[in-house]
Amino acid sequence: MVRVKDWYHPDRLGGGSSSESGVKKFLEVDAAWKVLSDQTSRRHYDMKRREQELKQDWTVDSTVYLQDMTWDSDECEYTYCCRCGGRFSVSKEEVEQQQAESILGDDEVHKATESGVLVCCDTCSLTIFVALNDNIEMSK
């Protein structure tokens, strides 16, 4: 990434119309580098991208309960194997955020619907609904 940033640096481009597009590209690469080089901002960026992907109208293949998923302490996330060999994963932060939203929305509509998150397989196009049980303790 640093080499790409250096490639488009304005001092290397010289003058002309190509330098304007080069400066624009440099600013894009620089902004990407700032986001991706910091672990916190990268995680936030990944969560936003995932949220955008999940807003698409995909059919849900099945419902999986959080307690049926495996805790991966290295990645700090819950995982579940997909039939394609890939995996579904949901972070502890996503679970906590969804549980907090579920508590805040404590009206009749929220009580009637099961709280959870949609999770896409990292390999294929399958999506599952991970049902959250409010009784699960987040001690991990």
Side-chain angles (χ1 to χ4, degrees):
M1 184 83 157
V2 175
R3 289 183 182 169
V4 173
K5 187 177 169 183
D6 289 342
W7 180 264
Y8 290 104
H9 196 279
D11 292 342
R12 294 189 76 177
L13 296 174
S17 63
S18 67
S19 67
E20 286 183 27
S21 64
V23 169
K24 183 179 176 186
K25 189 69 170 178
F26 172 78
L27 293 174
E28 290 173 3
V29 171
D30 186 52
W33 175 250
K34 287 177 182 173
V35 169
L36 299 176
S37 64
D38 178 54
Q39 189 171 8
T40 304
S41 63
R42 182 180 187 143
R43 182 172 289 230
H44 181 70
Y45 172 80
D46 289 343
M47 287 177 68
K48 285 293 184 186
R49 290 274 317 238
R50 186 177 205 175
E51 182 180 314
Q52 289 172 346
E53 290 174 358
L54 293 176
K55 286 183 181 178
Q56 296 179 8
D57 292 330
W58 290 325
T59 58
V60 175
D61 183 59
S62 63
T63 298
V64 175
Y65 291 94
L66 186 64
Q67 61 263 32
D68 295 332
M69 297 181 79
T70 305
W71 174 251
D72 182 345
S73 58
D74 294 334
E75 297 291 327
C76 291
E77 62 187 12
Y78 294 92
T79 62
Y80 188 78
C81 291
C82 181
R83 64 180 178 220
C84 74
R87 69 181 199 152
F88 300 98
S89 60
V90 61
S91 70
K92 182 179 177 182
E93 290 84 16
E94 288 175 288
V95 171
E96 289 172 341
Q97 179 182 4
Q98 185 61 37
Q99 286 178 330
E101 289 174 9
S102 162
I103 291 169
L104 291 176
D106 201 16
D107 58 9
E108 293 303 317
V109 174
H110 284 87
K111 287 179 183 175
T113 60
E114 194 168 28
S115 76
V117 290
L118 290 173
V119 181
C120 295
C121 175
D122 64 357
T123 306
C124 71
S125 62
L126 291 179
T127 302
I128 61 170
F129 179 76
V130 177
L132 306 177
N133 184 345
D134 294 333
N135 298 332
I136 295 175
E137 294 192 24
M138 299 294 297
S139 60
K140 296 178 179 178

